[in-house]
Amino acid sequence: MSTDASLHESRPPRYPGIPAIVDGSEAIAHVETRISEAACAYPITPSTTMAAVYQVAVAEGRTNLWGTTLRFVEPESEHSSASAAEGFALAGGRVTNFTAGQGLLLMKEVLYVISGKRLPAVFHVGARALTSQSLNIHAGHDDVMGVADTGWGILFARNAQEAADLTAICRRVAEETETPFLCVQDGFLTTHTMENVLLPEDELLKGYVGDPRASIRDLFDPAQGLMTGVVQNQDSYMKGRIAQRAFYDRLSEVTHEAMREWGELTGRHYDLVDPYRCDDAEYILLSMGTIADTAITVVDHLRSLGRRVGCIGITAYRPFPAAMLAGLIRNTTAVAIVERTDEPAAADNPVTRETKAALADLAADGNRVPRVLSVSAGLGSRDVAAGDLIAVFDRLVDAEAVRRQPHVVVGIRHPLAIESHDIDLRPAGAYSLRGHSIGGFGSVTTNKFLATLIGELFDMHVQAYPRYGSEKKGLPTTYYLTIADAPIRQHNELSHVEFVPLHDVSAFAMGDPLAGLADGGTVFLQTPLADAAEIWQSVPAEARAQILARNIRVTALDTAALAAEFAPRPDLVVRMQGVAQVGVFLRVSPFAARAGLDRDELLDAVHKLLPRFFGKRGGNVVEANYAVIERAYDKLIDVTAAIGGEPVAAAVVEASR
């Protein structure tokens, strides 16, 4: 979505969107359950949430905006799911699919067929690193690059908002050009990240996308005889293949026009590329997905220091906007292309190859072109922080270093690596938590609940996401939440936080949970101990010294006992430990005091929101969760006060000033 508001008119849009706090998967499912007719999918992590939300709509008997009952087909593999989608599209149906990683590669054979038969399907990809030397379920663009030659359009979303909007745009362009599209978002970093989103209204979707019966050909219609999938020998195959260029010749124009119309209707503007502060930039960073979102924050920071830098987010990888990109970067000194993939046997990584090809045409005409630095970053969701991108800009300034070493990496130790910076570029006044828990304890769900509650109750921007391995249940889980008055564009692990909840005091023996915690920040300990002095002594001496020196506040509670007391079923005892964090967070964070809400008003808001998250489990589960939250809020042990520090309530009031 365009980040330069000055480029667009300021009149209120006809369809401003429905405010919500959802992750990228829910944002896409919101649109697809309204405009599609069926999903043929064999879900694979991290695309499973998209499929799960769609399946719920099917189970509830919901219809799309034209009254067609939704259907879900789950065959025995991703390959078969693509074949099922092919059949549905051949019959004139509007179909989708949700996939990632090896699943996308497994269906590659069928992707060629779907594009070759001009079937306007839209598949959603939670972009994921491919299994090579090891298994990884997290973000990487390897899978998408592996199918980039199949003839599909490919649009990349930078955040949950773009995931929702591009779903509709993909569908519109696919059906107008009879070209299938992949709508791509970064696995976990977008699919599982809760953010403020303006969901498209039903009336908007109905008018913008249109009735599938009016726009999709039924190739199985017996009244119009047609053969598909025939054998073509030497005399005809090449003719049929090259003839397909007629569809692609207009793809960029149609995509641009569809994006322009969406912008006019919603005020959320898109184009094949999104340049930011590039008009006078000497150095430009080019990327796709969440890295392109983080780059905006970095550019603003460096501009404040007087550095003439800019960034470009590539929204359309297919059709590749070669001429547009070349025009934007031709007058710069150097450009860095940051990619979530690495192809060491190729001349360059995929986006770098495409960009250099565009620049070669300029050079052939005698024009000066910028030097290009290729950067591999974020493979397998390896953290890409603002400091990493600052390091990339720093390298661009050193022309000799770029010439000598045209490919670098960030985020790991390696001979090709460049040194990052530790910098906090969160919005001014942002409040963040970094929680350390165990998979299966309900902490991730609690974090989503908190993000929704805080965002809606206090009308603030939020961003909440987990970090865990493929093993998940029973192993360490880290979860993050940031709350701010302005949009949060960084998509990385938080190294600067104000609150650190710990599942157990043993966390001090497994690492340094105080790292990055602001002086005067708060720590919460889950502990079976009830005496504040004993709790304090259970903390390792080295950590106690640091806590005192940095004026860190310590709170504690036996959340396991609370869960055991109120859980209505034995299988919920473990999961309900996490929900106690809601009461703890509301007690120690400054937001209730800032809003002037007392205890009862705050807990009443919690009570009203709980059915949205736990209602499907029954009213008794909702009430049990509320009882845990209420008790945690009231019974929180203020360890700091007990050992002679200020009480937590006083700290909260002070922080709110």
Side-chain angles (χ1 to χ4, degrees), residues 363-432:
D365 292 332
N367 297 292
R368 174 192 165 278
V369 295
R371 187 167 290 280
V372 176
L373 175 67
S374 176
V375 185
S376 291
L379 280 65
S381 280
R382 185 75 181 190
D383 201 35
V384 181
D388 295 315
L389 301 188
I390 292 174
V392 171
F393 277 115
D394 289 347
R395 175 54 67 101
L396 280 182
V397 175
D398 189 341
E400 176 57 26
V402 174
R403 185 198 64 76
R404 186 178 64 253
Q405 187 177 315
H407 176 259
V408 298
V409 301
V410 295
I412 62 171
R413 293 181 179 178
H414 188 272
L416 294 176
I418 55 177
E419 188 174 351
S420 183
H421 300 259
D422 181 17
I423 189 168
D424 182 9
L425 293 186
R426 292 176 298 161
Y431 185 98
S432 299

Side-chain angles (χ1 to χ4, degrees), residues 20 34 97 127 133 164 210 267 326 342 367 380 439 446 450 454 467 474 501 519 597 608:
R34 285 161 169 78
N97 186 302
Q133 83 282 359
D342 191 41
N367 297 292
T446 296
L450 270 176
I454 298 298
R467 180 185 182 275
D519 292 351
L597 295 180
K608 290 177 180 177

Side-chain angles (χ1 to χ4, degrees), residues 441 502-503 524-528 556-565 573-574 576-581 584 628 632:
F441 281 62
L502 303 177
H503 169 68
F524 169 77
L525 293 173
Q526 142 60 28
T527 175
L557 191 65
D558 189 351
T559 59
L562 282 185
E565 179 181 353
V573 172
V574 173
M576 284 182 60
Q577 291 184 48
V579 79
Q581 296 284 358
V584 174
V628 170

Side-chain angles (χ1 to χ4, degrees), residues 324-343:
M324 294 179 69
L325 269 182
L328 287 167
I329 65 177
R330 62 184 299 172
N331 295 320
T332 61
T333 300
V335 58
I337 302 172
V338 185
E339 304 183 58
R340 281 190 188 274
T341 191
D342 191 41
E343 294 188 17

Side-chain angles (χ1 to χ4, degrees), residues 519-637:
D519 292 351
T522 303
V523 169
F524 169 77
L525 293 173
Q526 142 60 28
T527 175
L529 302 174
D531 180 74
E534 290 185 52
I535 295 170
W536 176 245
Q537 289 301 318
S538 71
V539 177
E542 184 178 345
R544 293 203 306 268
Q546 188 179 166
I547 287 169
L548 292 173
R550 296 171 53 197
N551 195 31
I552 293 171
R553 309 197 166 276
V554 180
T555 60
L557 191 65
D558 189 351
T559 59
L562 282 185
E565 179 181 353
F566 292 106
R569 304 195 309 264
D571 61 300
L572 294 178
V573 172
V574 173
R575 289 203 60 80
M576 284 182 60
Q577 291 184 48
V579 79
Q581 296 284 358
V582 175
V584 174
F585 182 84
L586 294 176
R587 178 76 183 279
V588 303
S589 65
F591 302 105
R594 289 178 184 175
L597 295 180
D598 62 23
R599 171 198 179 278
D600 293 340
E601 292 170 321
L602 196 59
L603 293 179
D604 183 58
V606 171
H607 201 196
K608 290 177 180 177
L609 185 61
L610 279 170
R612 194 188 308 176
F613 280 77
F614 303 104
K616 65 182 179 182
R617 297 180 182 269
N620 62 331
V621 174
V622 170
E623 294 306 316
N625 277 280
Y626 177 72
V628 170
I629 293 169
E630 182 182 39
R631 183 69 64 87
Y633 185 94
D634 291 335
K635 300 297 182 180
L636 183 68
I637 300 171

